[in-house]
Amino acid sequence: MSEENYMRIIDLRGKELNRAQMLEAMPRAEMGTDEATELVQPILDNVKAHGAKALREYAEKFDHVVPKSLRVPTDVMDAAVAELDPEVRAAIEESIRRARAVAKNQVPEDFHTDLADGARVAERWIPVQRVGLYVPGGKAVYPSSVIMNAVPAQAAGVESLAIATPPNRNDPDGWPNKTILATCAMLGVDEVYAVGGAQAIAMFAYGATDVDDPTNPVLCEPVDKITGPGNIFVATAKRLVSGIVGIDAVAGPTEIAIIADKDANPEWVAADLIGQAEHDELAGSVLITDSPELADAVQASLLRRVPRTEHAERVATSLSGRQSGIILTDSLDQSIDAANAYAAEHLEVQTADPDAVIARIRNAGAIFRGPYSPVPLGDYMSGSNHVLPTSGTARFAAGLGVHTFMKPVEVIEYDEQGLKELASRVNAFAVSEDLPAHGESVLSRFVADPYDKTTLKDQEKEAGLR
């Protein structure tokens, strides 16, 4: 293969790798989180201490504009809807419709289990009360992220939704991107802040007051959970405030893996790799194939296609980075093993029998079946959610959905007889753990003096516990 090719080759052929070796062989980006922490922690501390004053200072420093107000007025959002291109509006409306249809069916149902007469354990699903949704801006703007975060939160029954998105230096008033604002309005979210970066995460976590506005001193109330993607500084901020508030995940750069065999269309595979690389210089694009011929054809297609795409420089940097590559395998079996080790945020399966492959996939944020289910479909309009686990965390984490915004809470309901049948056993268990007061708590319902251990067994027999 030519040295001019964009993507490096990771050749696993003829190698029998154990689990640790397979994980080590996967291409990953270097994140530099320690350096980010040193930059982000002072921002969090400053916003916590000084609220809106600090937010304005960071807007000027990082976004090079101070918005007319940190909270975007509803009339500005309504105007953004009125100005929206009709075709874009129709696309957003269809995306919302499909996302709501899927989210509606994701809502879990309460249930109960009867273990004996008078012994029931139930489970209720309770929505998080207040959520902060972060919508990034930077190399691109993402009204799709508004939909992906807000729709499942609304379906879950979240009472209070706030959205933060960076101010726009090209707007005379510093208002955020109009398409993002229009999407917020179309979803019925009216609490929107022109605040970006780590400072937005701090505002959500700690709340923010505004001493310069005596008529409305509370700019933003703290939230219970923060969701949404962002750059390394946003991700680091979310990690640092987790525990103070809940977070969906600490997201790394976006990524795609494609399992393809000899029958896959190399032009389509190349186009899909480019599409993911367009996001960011650190985005990961990985092809996993047992066909050297397909690999060569994809490389050749990339050489033709990359220079012709608008963000060619960004794409080329991403494809040639250590986080991207073509993994050559001995067989489809080894390709599946590699895909499970890589645990892609987005996994496309373009093989002769995709269902057989998908049945063996254990680790992926979302799976795109067949050549007509490319990742951009999921980014915008498939009805699925595009906020997905990255950096191999799909081995243990799931994508964002209605469940992200709900808490399962068990309700334990035993009557007198139900507890009576277990009282002696609970006490025995408690004593074995050297927590006798636990047992005494239960026994107090049935015996006169659970603290008199010399007569306790007789008391239990008299009370019908033995």
Side-chain angles (χ1 to χ4, degrees):
M1 297 179 185
S2 169
E3 292 183 357
E4 297 177 355
N5 286 332
Y6 286 105
M7 300 183 73
R8 66 189 176 112
I9 299 297
I10 301 170
D11 197 342
L12 303 185
R13 292 174 297 177
K15 299 177 182 178
E16 293 187 9
L17 304 181
N18 61 31
R19 179 175 170 81
Q21 291 169 329
M22 182 67 85
L23 291 172
E24 182 65 25
M26 295 300 105
R28 299 287 183 201
E30 290 184 343
M31 290 295 293
T33 53
D34 291 341
E35 295 85 347
T37 298
E38 293 175 4
L39 295 171
V40 166
Q41 188 62 61
I43 295 173
L44 300 180
D45 295 339
N46 193 18
V47 173
K48 182 178 181 181
H50 299 106
K53 179 176 182 291
L55 294 174
R56 293 189 185 96
E57 291 172 353
Y58 289 127
E60 185 171 18
K61 179 178 180 180
F62 297 129
D63 302 304
H64 309 292
V65 62
V66 179
K68 192 173 181 180
S69 69
L70 292 173
R71 180 161 176 174
V72 181
T74 54
D75 63 326
V76 173
M77 292 192 286
D78 291 340
V81 176
E83 297 171 17
L84 198 60
D85 179 276
E87 287 191 11
V88 174
R89 179 169 182 169
I92 291 172
E93 288 173 341
E94 182 64 15
S95 179
I96 291 171
R97 186 188 72 80
R98 289 174 181 258
R100 281 180 168 158
V102 173
K104 179 181 178 181
N105 286 328
Q106 284 185 340
V107 179
E109 294 184 359
D110 297 348
F111 68 89
H112 67 266
T113 304
D114 290 323
L115 298 160
D117 289 341
R120 169 176 289 185
V121 175
E123 185 166 274
R124 294 181 57 210
W125 284 87
I126 302 174
V128 174
Q129 185 173 358
R130 177 164 165 79
V131 171
L133 311 176
Y134 186 76
V135 178
K139 294 183 176 67
V141 294
Y142 297 101
S144 56
S145 285
V146 182
I147 299 169
M148 299 297 168
N149 283 271
V151 167
Q154 291 172 331
V158 173
E159 293 179 8
S160 177
L161 289 178
I163 289 177
T165 191
N168 180 5
R169 74 181 71 176
N170 296 318
D171 186 279
D173 295 318
W175 303 132
N177 175 267
K178 289 184 178 181
T179 307
I180 289 177
L181 294 182
T183 306
C184 293
M186 292 164 69
L187 286 162
V189 180
D190 60 9
E191 186 181 348
V192 179
Y193 297 92
V195 181
Q199 57 270 30
I201 304 305
M203 177 187 71
F204 282 151
Y206 305 118
T209 56
D210 190 351
V211 295
D212 296 328
D213 187 356
T215 62
N216 189 25
V218 178
L219 172 69
C220 178
E221 295 282 7
V223 304
D224 302 309
K225 191 164 192 176
I226 300 171
T227 71
N231 63 19
I232 187 172
F233 302 106
V234 170
T236 300
K238 286 170 68 178
R239 176 174 60 81
L240 291 173
V241 301
S242 64
I244 298 169
V245 294
I247 64 172
D248 53 347
V250 178
T254 190
E255 62 202 21
I256 185 177
I258 304 175
I259 297 179
D261 60 18
K262 63 181 178 61
D263 296 322
N265 185 320
E267 300 297 328
W268 297 355
V269 171
D272 294 354
L273 294 170
I274 292 171
Q276 203 65 22
E278 181 180 39
H279 277 282
D280 188 273
E281 288 85 352
L282 290 176
S285 294
V286 176
L287 169 61
I288 306 171
T289 183
D290 60 352
S291 170
E293 294 77 18
L294 177 72
D296 286 336
V298 169
Q299 293 273 36
S301 180
L302 292 172
L303 290 172
R304 294 190 301 272
R305 288 172 174 269
V306 171
R308 300 183 64 193
T309 194
E310 181 173 350
H311 303 295
E313 185 175 351
R314 185 192 309 164
V315 170
T317 301
S318 171
L319 292 176
S320 60
R322 60 172 289 148
Q323 74 277 8
S324 298
I326 296 177
I327 300 175
L328 287 178
T329 64
D330 283 317
S331 64
L332 188 57
D333 287 342
Q334 193 180 37
S335 292
I336 293 169
D337 289 342
N340 281 325
Y342 184 65
E345 177 189 16
H346 310 91
L347 176 65
E348 289 187 0
V349 179
Q350 298 192 34
T351 61
D353 188 353
D355 291 332
V357 173
I358 291 170
R360 296 172 58 191
I361 296 299
R362 301 178 64 89
N363 304 323
I367 301 171
F368 296 78
R369 180 195 181 279
Y372 294 98
S373 303
V375 166
L377 179 67
D379 286 339
Y380 299 116
M381 213 167 294
S382 68
S384 61
N385 203 293
H386 77 200
V387 183
L388 300 166
T390 61
S391 306
T393 59
R395 289 163 53 209
F396 53 81
L400 188 141
V402 170
H403 58 275
T404 306
F405 302 100
M406 303 190 80
K407 305 170 292 182
V409 178
E410 290 183 327
V411 179
I412 297 88
E413 181 187 356
Y414 275 54
D415 64 13
E416 180 180 1
Q417 185 57 36
L419 180 60
K420 187 174 183 179
E421 289 183 6
L422 295 180
S424 181
R425 291 180 179 177
V426 170
N427 181 62
F429 216 141
V431 170
S432 75
E433 294 190 344
D434 193 26
L435 296 170
H438 283 57
E440 291 156 3
S441 167
V442 173
L443 292 175
S444 292
R445 271 83 174 160
F446 304 104
V447 305
D449 186 1
Y451 304 99
D452 182 357
K453 306 306 180 185
T454 61
T455 64
L456 184 56
K457 287 187 177 180
D458 290 335
Q459 292 183 73
E460 289 179 339
K461 289 178 180 177
E462 185 176 347
L465 305 184
R466 288 181 172 271

